[in-house]
Amino acid sequence: MYIKQAFYFLHDWWRYLLGGVLIFIASQLGAIPLLALVLFKVMAEGGDLASLEDPNTLMTTLDSNLTLFLMLLSFAIGLGVLYLVVRYFHKQPFKTVTTSRERTDWGRVWFGFGLIAVATVVLTSIDYYMNPADYVVQFDLVPFLILAVIAIVMVPLQTSFEEYLFRGYLMQGIGVGAKNRWVPLVVTSVIFGGLHFFNPEVSKIGNIIMVYYIGTGFFLGIMTLMDEGMELALGFHAGNNLVAALLVTADWTVFQTNSILKDVSEPSAGVDVIMPVIIIYPIFLAIMAWKYGWSDWGEKLFGKVVPPPKDEVYDEFV
């Protein structure tokens, strides 16, 4: 039902193509303030434009809290434009991109958030006590409080933009075009993972980390299709990024923040990258399946999306 909802509104293929382009352009325009301020500071200090080709320059020239805010600003702008595209270009209530339920289930959002937040804190704490030499405590109250305010406000906007774009807008758009569930799952997961190719983690660890990024896309897509809504994915993604920003950072990650801990170990390209995809994610899915009574996996992940009769209306929106 989640994908099928899009049939009740303006769902021409060209609308999704044009809407996707508009959303992309908006998010890129949102990155201009960060680029402009970095350029201004680099030039004021006698640098040159060539130095901006180094991603590290972009991430370290300004104060880390200011950099984080400006970096996340582009996602907030993208989310706003995505809302306008859905609401006025597709004439579709935004709730129907979120869920197939009568209303958004905030309990599911908080469950997804809490599941990954608790797991991350526990696993990081265990690793810290087992390998203390791999971490440096860098807690500084004032910068951390500023970080916390920025992260609590902006990180959910960033993760919501990604979820609404991939597990919402594109999942429904590709689904009504393909008239099945597995094509949008595969396409959105691969694109989601592929867009992380330019993250600094890839150059540090190697292409093997793409298994993690694409696997995460499949994980979030599977929970969305099985649960007939994005609530769990929205909460999980926000919890993952927010706790990561506040708890631990490293010189080679996309989020370089005034977090509590700094990981100074040399990252591994082996089991640490693949373990979440083959072990932790299946455990999370099993927990969600048990809690929410998921069944009929084959149909929900690979079944057809049948258009409603042309004279049928969606009573909730008449």
Side-chain angles (χ1 to χ4, degrees):
M1 184 62 187
Y2 174 66
I3 292 178
K4 183 179 178 179
Q5 290 179 132
F7 276 115
Y8 292 96
F9 310 103
L10 301 180
H11 58 276
D12 312 270
W13 66 268
W14 61 267
R15 291 181 185 273
Y16 286 99
L17 178 61
L18 181 56
V21 171
L22 291 174
I23 294 165
F24 174 78
I25 291 174
S27 65
Q28 296 305 298
L29 291 176
I32 291 177
L34 174 60
L35 294 172
L37 284 178
V38 170
L39 175 60
F40 177 80
K41 186 171 183 180
V42 167
M43 299 300 289
E45 295 177 351
D48 55 49
L49 291 176
S51 64
L52 295 180
E53 297 178 3
D54 180 6
N56 192 54
T57 299
L58 190 63
M59 300 303 299
T60 60
T61 297
L62 304 175
D63 171 76
S64 63
N65 282 333
L66 177 58
T67 298
L68 180 66
F69 172 79
L70 293 174
M71 182 173 65
L72 298 179
L73 180 62
S74 64
F75 295 94
I77 293 173
L79 179 61
V81 173
L82 191 154
Y83 172 83
L84 294 175
V85 166
V86 169
R87 194 69 186 88
Y88 298 104
F89 194 48
H90 292 270
K91 304 296 183 182
Q92 181 173 358
F94 206 59
K95 192 275 293 184
T96 62
V97 185
T98 308
T99 186
S100 61
R101 284 168 273 277
E102 290 186 5
R103 59 183 59 87
T104 300
D105 187 343
W106 289 99
R108 279 173 154 85
V109 175
W110 285 111
F111 180 79
F113 183 98
L115 183 64
I116 184 58
V118 171
T120 301
V121 171
V122 170
L123 293 175
T124 302
S125 299
I126 292 172
D127 191 48
Y128 174 77
Y129 284 106
M130 292 182 63
N131 305 287
D134 290 346
Y135 296 91
V136 171
V137 178
Q138 61 169 18
F139 179 75
D140 190 347
L141 181 59
V142 174
F144 178 80
L145 290 177
I146 296 172
L147 165 66
V149 172
I150 294 172
I152 291 171
V153 173
M154 299 298 291
V155 167
L157 295 177
Q158 174 246 326
T159 56
S160 294
F161 170 66
E162 294 185 357
E163 289 309 305
Y164 274 106
L165 178 60
F166 291 103
R167 260 64 64 179
Y169 187 69
L170 293 180
M171 180 78 80
Q172 289 187 344
I174 296 171
V176 298
K179 294 183 176 59
N180 62 46
R181 292 169 170 259
W182 69 268
V183 169
L185 173 61
V186 171
V187 173
T188 58
S189 301
V190 172
I191 295 176
F192 172 80
L195 289 179
H196 290 78
F197 182 77
F198 299 102
N199 281 16
E201 293 91 334
V202 178
S203 59
K204 181 68 176 181
I205 298 177
N207 291 340
I208 185 65
I209 198 173
M210 295 305 297
V211 172
Y212 168 74
Y213 287 132
I214 295 175
T216 299
F218 273 100
F219 168 66
L220 293 166
I222 288 170
M223 74 169 73
T224 297
L225 291 178
M226 290 303 303
D227 203 48
E228 296 288 359
M230 290 199 320
E231 291 101 330
L232 289 170
L234 284 168
F236 188 96
H237 200 164
N240 180 76
N241 287 26
L242 181 59
V243 173
L246 296 175
L247 185 60
V248 60
T249 189
D251 289 336
W252 43 269
T253 59
V254 68
F255 280 176
Q256 297 182 33
T257 66
N258 293 298
S259 57
I260 297 173
L261 299 173
K262 183 175 183 179
D263 186 345
V264 294
S265 65
E266 192 64 23
S268 170
V271 177
D272 291 346
V273 173
I274 300 176
M275 184 176 68
V277 176
I278 63 174
I279 298 177
I280 296 178
Y281 286 170
I283 292 174
F284 285 158
L285 288 174
I287 293 171
M288 294 175 185
W290 168 78
K291 180 173 177 60
Y292 294 109
W294 293 349
S295 61
D296 201 6
W297 289 68
E299 175 62 26
K300 287 188 175 180
L301 296 181
F302 302 102
K304 295 181 179 180
V305 178
V306 181
K310 289 185 177 181
D311 59 347
E312 182 178 326
V313 295
Y314 203 175
D315 293 339
E316 186 178 353
F317 305 104
V318 172

